[in-house]
Amino acid sequence: MPRYALIAEPDRHRAAGLLSLVQQEGLEGVVARDGAEAQETVRLRGAPALLVTDLALPRVDGFALLAWLRGRSDAGGTAVMVVTAFDELRVRAWQLKDSLGIHALLSRRAGPEAMRDGVRRALAGQLAGHGQLELNAEDEKRRLTRIEEMQLVDPGLPDAGLQELVTEVAQAFGVPVALLTLVLGDRQWFKAHVGLPSTLARDRGTPRDWAFCHHVVQGREAMVVPDATRHPVFRANPLVREGIIGSYAGAPLITSTGEVLGSLCVIDTRPLMLGPEDLAALRELAGRVAENLEHTSLVTRPRPAAPRPQGAPEPVLNEAAALALVREAVSALEVPVLVVAPGRKPFAANAALAELLGLPEDRLAGMPFDSLCQHVANLTADPGGTLRQLDLAAEGSRGLHLTLSLERPRPRVVRWVARPFLVPGGSAQLLSLVDLGIGADLKAQRERLLRQDALTGLDSRRVGEERLAREIARCRRDGVPVSLLLVVLADLATLNRTRGFDAGDAALRELSRRAEGLCPPPGFVVRWTGDTFLIALPGADAVGAEAMRQALMDAPGPPACVAIAVTVRGEEDPHGTLDRAHAALARAKPERKPASEQG
């Protein structure tokens, strides 16, 4: 078997760059998207000549992967290069470099030449890299200034819409705790939270030294800690020792100008077995939330006044002049905004609001505020209840946040935000209607991200495990057999290396299409791991399953595959059936020579 390099990296684009580096050194490259997949690769192929790994891997973290590898008798000659974005994880890895057998230890921010030098030094058994923190005081100053400018830290009650969001995130990921955090100078602050112990919920934060989210902000990347109780960096954390955090996954809230505000994170008291797809879904949600926070801040925070020349008289504005300035600013905004003058006098609005509410702009310009509220209420399913809520929007002295579900002119969820400001003559209101994209649309998208494989459109492994357990239980009740197939795309690593990742993706899509075409209802196909599909066959016995396996193997044309079939035995636990299937697949893979060896 040729010498190979194993690259444990969830991000496919970074994996492609590392793959190119190891190929330049004459090694075959194999990519694993998480720590468990990397372990499976080593079990099937033996220890690699080189392991390139991150430390924050899904399912099995990099520290655990390295400790496991060093426990194998065939891994004594394996060179290891660690590449990670998280400084404090890298510092700890440097302290453990001898016991973990690390030869090169690089920051994610290292350039191509440093990466290439790290690979070569690791293969030569020489030490490369360092375990020092890479602090950037200017970046941190800009980040904190951005949080202050956006006025995100509000001592009032958490925003109801954000509370709803984190609740839905916790439910979608099947965890007890979800947080939307801002990382400040010396503490983390919970802008929204669900599932926290009462003391943390009351304080709405912790010291920054305790914050897992601090690492997400520092590294500017999503981070997962599958088991914090065993992690060499986090097991001494007070929140871990107290049993509040057993596992963690968080994604950064990055603004359009590049500052990291904090994170959207999920927490469990038990080990968290999120896969790469789950982490990608969390990143997607965090990006949407950051965009929404920035959008809301844009229309609610006051603009700084222009500097006044020394000695110039203080300008005096009457109510009309003050509102005229506001109207001018509102008309230039691309987000739906209106201004209500003191006493609910005629307001100023912009074209974006007219479009959102389905009104001609000239009609909106002359509409009394009460008529506008009635029009908005009529767009909802409960006009009377909505109107009573909107009546408060121009009366409250502290502002109001409402989440409204509009049914017309098209279904959408919007946030009605009212912020008072003083003008000569009293208190005016600046109101904005922000199209959240969080609600029915985002909830459906979130479910799709978590439950559907983006590449093939098949069910994800999480959904497959749920469906398989249900089908096995049903078949037992009905007294009928149930079988399953594991199908692996042959030579995916070679295909990615020689023809590129697009060709590999096309082969995976073709194999999934072929499997679905051969799978009769009520059977179903699942994207199980990176190159492997599971086919569940309720009602099929061993003979029927073998026939389908043979049909897949004998199908003409590319892509080639390796498949095995197993039948559930009596009252066997589904995990036991899957273990037998994986063992059979491991035995079947070596029996098929790579395409390069076939004559």
Side-chain angles (χ1 to χ4, degrees):
M1 184 176 293
R3 285 173 14 114
Y4 78 102
L6 176 58
I7 299 167
E9 170 57 64
D11 187 286
R12 56 178 296 181
H13 300 292
R14 288 175 180 148
L18 293 169
L19 197 62
S20 174
L21 288 179
V22 301
Q23 288 168 355
Q24 292 173 23
E25 302 306 314
L27 295 174
E28 175 192 358
V30 177
V31 174
R33 296 190 63 200
D34 60 51
E37 190 175 332
Q39 288 179 328
E40 185 175 356
T41 300
V42 175
R43 290 190 188 101
L44 293 175
R45 300 195 53 163
L50 172 67
L51 170 64
V52 182
T53 184
D54 197 345
L55 294 172
L57 296 174
R59 298 172 66 196
V60 175
D61 70 72
F63 288 101
L65 174 63
L66 289 174
W68 174 85
L69 181 69
R70 289 311 178 199
R72 289 179 58 95
S73 60
D74 62 346
T78 298
V80 171
M81 182 169 101
V82 169
V83 182
T84 187
F86 306 105
D87 283 356
E88 291 175 48
L89 271 63
R90 193 175 69 256
V91 170
R92 184 61 175 143
W94 180 264
Q95 296 166 348
L96 298 173
K97 64 183 181 300
D98 295 332
S99 61
L100 296 178
I102 297 173
H103 300 88
L105 191 57
L106 300 178
S107 166
R108 182 77 75 193
R109 295 177 283 275
E113 287 303 318
M115 291 286 186
R116 183 177 294 107
D117 182 66
V119 168
R120 291 173 177 172
R121 284 177 173 270
L123 289 171
Q126 301 171 359
L127 192 63
H130 60 81
Q132 298 176 1
L133 294 175
E134 298 181 350
L135 302 177
N136 189 318
E138 286 302 315
D139 284 350
E140 177 69 359
K141 183 178 178 181
R142 283 193 297 270
R143 192 186 70 78
L144 296 175
T145 299
R146 184 73 165 129
I147 292 174
E148 184 176 358
E149 288 175 349
M150 293 175 68
Q151 300 180 1
L152 296 176
V153 180
D154 184 351
L157 293 175
D159 177 79
L162 294 178
Q163 283 293 107
E164 180 183 356
L165 169 70
V166 294
T167 300
E168 291 180 357
V169 168
Q171 293 171 350
F173 283 86
V175 297
V177 179
L179 307 172
L180 180 60
T181 72
L182 302 177
V183 176
L184 309 179
D186 58 355
R187 65 193 294 257
Q188 67 171 340
W189 184 74
F190 307 140
K191 189 167 180 66
H193 57 85
V194 64
L196 285 175
S198 58
T199 53
L200 288 181
R202 183 190 65 236
D203 296 340
R204 291 185 70 180
T206 73
R208 183 167 177 171
D209 291 345
W210 297 8
F212 285 57
C213 297
H214 155 75
H215 300 272
V216 174
V217 168
Q218 173 269 315
R220 303 177 60 83
E221 290 189 7
M223 183 182 78
V224 59
V225 182
D227 188 349
T229 64
R230 298 175 181 270
H231 198 283
V233 174
F234 298 109
R235 63 191 174 203
N237 185 292
L239 299 175
V240 177
R241 292 201 310 266
E242 294 172 13
I244 296 171
I245 297 181
S247 51
Y248 169 95
L253 304 171
I254 304 178
T255 69
S256 59
T257 49
E259 297 88 6
V260 185
L261 307 174
S263 81
L264 176 66
C265 67
V266 294
I267 293 169
D268 204 340
T269 55
R270 302 172 299 176
L272 191 65
M273 297 306 290
L274 299 184
E277 294 82 6
D278 299 311
L279 206 58
L282 191 62
R283 279 196 300 266
E284 172 75 12
L285 292 173
R288 297 284 297 275
V289 172
E291 180 181 355
N292 177 251
L293 291 175
E294 197 169 16
H295 194 123
T296 303
S297 170
L298 176 68
V299 300
T300 57
R301 72 176 187 266
R303 292 192 175 193
R308 185 166 51 91
Q310 188 173 4
E314 185 75 31
V316 178
L317 293 177
N318 57 25
E319 179 182 332
L323 288 175
L325 293 176
V326 175
R327 289 191 187 100
E328 183 180 351
V330 165
S331 64
L333 293 174
E334 297 181 358
V335 293
V337 175
L338 61 119
V339 175
V340 182
R344 293 195 178 196
K345 293 179 181 178
F347 60 90
N350 61 6
L353 181 67
E355 181 181 355
L356 177 71
L357 299 181
L359 285 170
E361 190 173 354
D362 56 350
R363 180 184 169 193
L364 179 62
M367 182 181 289
F369 180 71
D370 290 344
S371 299
L372 173 75
C373 289
Q374 184 64 64
H375 176 81
V376 173
N378 289 340
L379 301 180
T380 70
D382 180 17
T386 302
L387 185 59
R388 285 191 294 273
Q389 291 180 303
L390 294 180
D391 280 340
L392 300 173
E395 300 292 343
S397 61
R398 298 182 60 189
L400 183 70
H401 290 225
L402 295 174
T403 300
L404 303 176
S405 295
L406 305 184
E407 297 188 350
R408 294 173 292 278
R410 67 177 180 84
R412 67 176 79 192
V413 177
V414 300
R415 175 85 47 77
W416 177 292
V417 181
R419 292 291 179 92
F421 63 98
L422 294 176
V423 297
S427 178
Q429 291 275 347
L430 176 68
L431 296 100
S432 64
L433 270 71
V434 181
D435 190 345
L436 294 180
I438 299 173
D441 290 344
L442 182 55
K443 188 173 182 180
Q445 182 180 13
R446 181 159 60 243
E447 287 298 311
R448 178 182 59 77
L449 288 168
L450 292 172
R451 303 182 69 84
Q452 185 181 68
D453 174 58
L455 177 64
T456 63
L458 298 175
D459 285 343
S460 67
R461 180 166 180 164
R462 171 184 292 184
V463 177
E465 289 175 338
E466 295 171 357
R467 292 184 66 182
L468 183 61
R470 288 197 301 267
E471 287 300 325
I472 290 176
R474 183 184 64 80
C475 288
R476 282 174 178 160
R477 289 194 302 269
D478 297 343
V480 297
V482 56
S483 300
L484 57 88
L485 275 66
L486 281 181
V487 184
V488 63
L489 178 65
D491 302 328
L492 176 60
T494 302
L495 185 61
N496 285 336
R497 183 177 70 252
T498 58
R499 297 178 54 195
F501 281 91
D502 287 342
D505 289 349
L508 287 166
R509 283 192 291 266
E510 173 59 25
L511 183 56
S512 71
R513 184 198 62 78
R514 183 180 298 171
E516 283 194 297
L518 291 172
C519 182
F524 56 90
V525 185
V526 177
R527 176 83 180 276
W528 198 245
T529 63
D531 61 354
T532 304
F533 299 90
L534 178 139
I535 304 174
L537 300 171
D541 58 13
V543 175
E546 176 58 25
M548 183 171 178
R549 186 195 75 84
Q550 201 62 50
L552 273 170
M553 295 283 288
D554 294 343
C561 66
V562 177
I564 60 92
V566 297
T567 301
V568 178
R569 296 171 178 170
E571 296 297 317
E572 181 180 44
D573 182 88
H575 292 289
T577 306
L578 290 169
D579 288 342
R580 286 197 295 114
H582 281 291
L585 185 63
R587 293 192 298 271
K589 282 182 178 180
E591 296 174 3
R592 184 185 185 278
K593 292 182 179 180
S596 59
E597 298 180 22
Q598 295 178 1

